[in-house]
Amino acid sequence: MNLPERAGNRIRELRTAKGWTQEQLAEAASLHYSYIGGVERGDRNISLETLEKIIAAFQVPAIEIFRFGDDTDHRKALDEHMTLICDRSTAEIAALTKINREVIAVLDLPRTSIGGSEDGA
């Protein structure tokens, strides 16, 4: 698979994680929806300016477009999480990070510490 195909697949992954159609991504990036289809198939040799529009529409770091070969449920869950928070303010992201840390701390506690025995009884 060549670079345009790999980048196109990654753009499709990010788009679907956000719950967007090709038309919605096209509108957010000020592009035509048929152009997005060509990009996702790897049929288009897009310019850096066009890539920048797509990245800006997703509101993700540019490196996210180039995270290839990690087509796992873990990566998909991370993509979904990132797209949920990407358009939030810095203060909101900080609050969400704090909440996540607290939840993870509870998840990391031994099961006996949170009201049950280790066998679930």
Side-chain angles (χ1 to χ4, degrees):
M1 188 177 297
N2 62 31
L3 183 59
E5 290 171 339
R6 293 174 78 187
N9 283 338
R10 185 69 181 128
I11 289 167
R12 181 182 298 112
E13 289 171 2
L14 291 171
R15 177 181 59 76
T16 57
K18 199 162 181 76
W20 280 358
T21 64
Q22 288 179 346
E23 291 83 2
Q24 289 169 310
L25 173 55
E27 183 176 331
S30 299
L31 299 167
H32 194 272
Y33 73 90
S34 65
Y35 189 82
I36 295 295
V39 168
E40 290 184 354
R41 289 188 305 276
D43 294 341
R44 301 280 185 165
N45 189 11
I46 65 174
S47 69
L48 291 176
E49 289 174 349
T50 300
L51 186 59
E52 185 176 40
K53 288 180 179 182
I54 292 169
I55 291 166
F58 284 137
Q59 297 180 342
V60 297
I63 190 67
E64 288 302 320
I65 299 297
F66 301 101
R67 289 197 193 275
F68 305 134
D70 191 9
D71 190 24
T72 63
D73 289 340
H74 184 259
R75 172 81 297 184
K76 289 175 185 174
L78 287 172
D79 287 347
E80 184 174 358
H81 182 75
M82 184 176 45
T83 60
L84 286 172
I85 66 168
C86 67
D87 60 346
R88 299 296 178 170
S89 71
T90 301
E92 289 172 321
I93 292 171
L96 290 167
T97 299
K98 181 180 178 190
I99 292 166
N100 282 337
R101 283 191 180 122
E102 292 171 3
V103 169
I104 289 168
V106 170
L107 291 174
D108 287 345
L109 290 174
R111 293 179 76 188
T112 55
S113 300
I114 54 175
S117 68
E118 289 196 32
D119 64 1

